[in-house]
Amino acid sequence: MSTHKKEKPIPAPRAWQRMLSGRRLDLLDPSPLDIEIEDIALGLSREVRWNGQTIGEWGYTIAEHSLLVEEIVTLLKPDTKPEIRLAALLHDAPEYVIGDLITPFKYAIGSGYKDLENRLMQAIHVRFGLPANLPDTINTLIKRADRMAAYLEATQLAGFSDKEASKIFGKLRAMPNIRITGIPPQKAKEGFLKRFEKLS
């Protein structure tokens, strides 16, 4: 008669996160039903850009960056439809769950990060009535605004010279004249939610 105890099976690693709304978001198979704008706004308002390496009393949050990108999209193309501006506002929304990894770190991790980010983005888009995958023309517009926003942040907040920023982000035409500064997370959250309500 064997005296060995049966080993208990090792449970699968938890792949979901509980949100303050009470939703449980499965990161590997995200459902649009588990996505709430309040969770997104909270997460983006507490996650900072540039790994926090910016001047000022407050870190520059992803919520602020998202507002800036949407503003630039509107400046670049004043007749942009509200749904496209909403897509611009939500362009970094997956980072409410996975955080804002700096570009060099994303390259180091590889394609797994991008796949996860894409699945989350598709679920977010569906949740808020946008196409799961945006047309290339819209993606191009948002990416252009995103690069401009990054240039402004780099030179105004993150200590980059214009020459350094131009090497990284390229020569950008029609750069907007916008002054930016970090604001308290609660204000960033409120501003993000207010803009979302107006566009959705």
Side-chain angles (χ1 to χ4, degrees), residues 64-131:
E64 282 185 85
H65 167 76
S66 300
L67 288 163
L68 177 61
V69 170
E70 189 265 325
E71 180 183 357
I72 294 173
V73 162
T74 306
L75 289 172
L76 290 173
K77 196 173 177 186
D79 61 345
T80 301
K81 294 178 180 178
E83 56 265 31
I84 296 173
R85 290 158 67 185
L86 178 61
L89 183 71
L90 295 171
H91 80 283
D92 275 342
E95 294 177 6
Y96 88 105
V97 178
I98 57 179
D100 181 33
L101 297 184
I102 58 173
T103 301
F105 198 47
K106 288 180 185 178
Y107 282 120
I109 291 174
S111 62
Y113 175 89
K114 198 67 187 168
D115 292 341
L116 179 63
E117 186 179 44
N118 286 338
R119 284 196 297 273
L120 280 165
M121 182 60 88
Q122 289 170 349
I124 289 165
H125 280 175
V126 171
R127 171 67 178 85
F128 299 117
L130 297 169

Side-chain angles (χ1 to χ4, degrees), residues 33-44:
L33 297 175
D34 292 325
I35 292 166
E36 298 291 346
I37 194 61
E38 291 81 8
D39 294 330
I40 292 174
L42 178 65
L44 297 187

Side-chain angles (χ1 to χ4, degrees), residues 56 58 74 164 183:
W58 304 101
T74 306
E164 285 177 309
I183 60 174

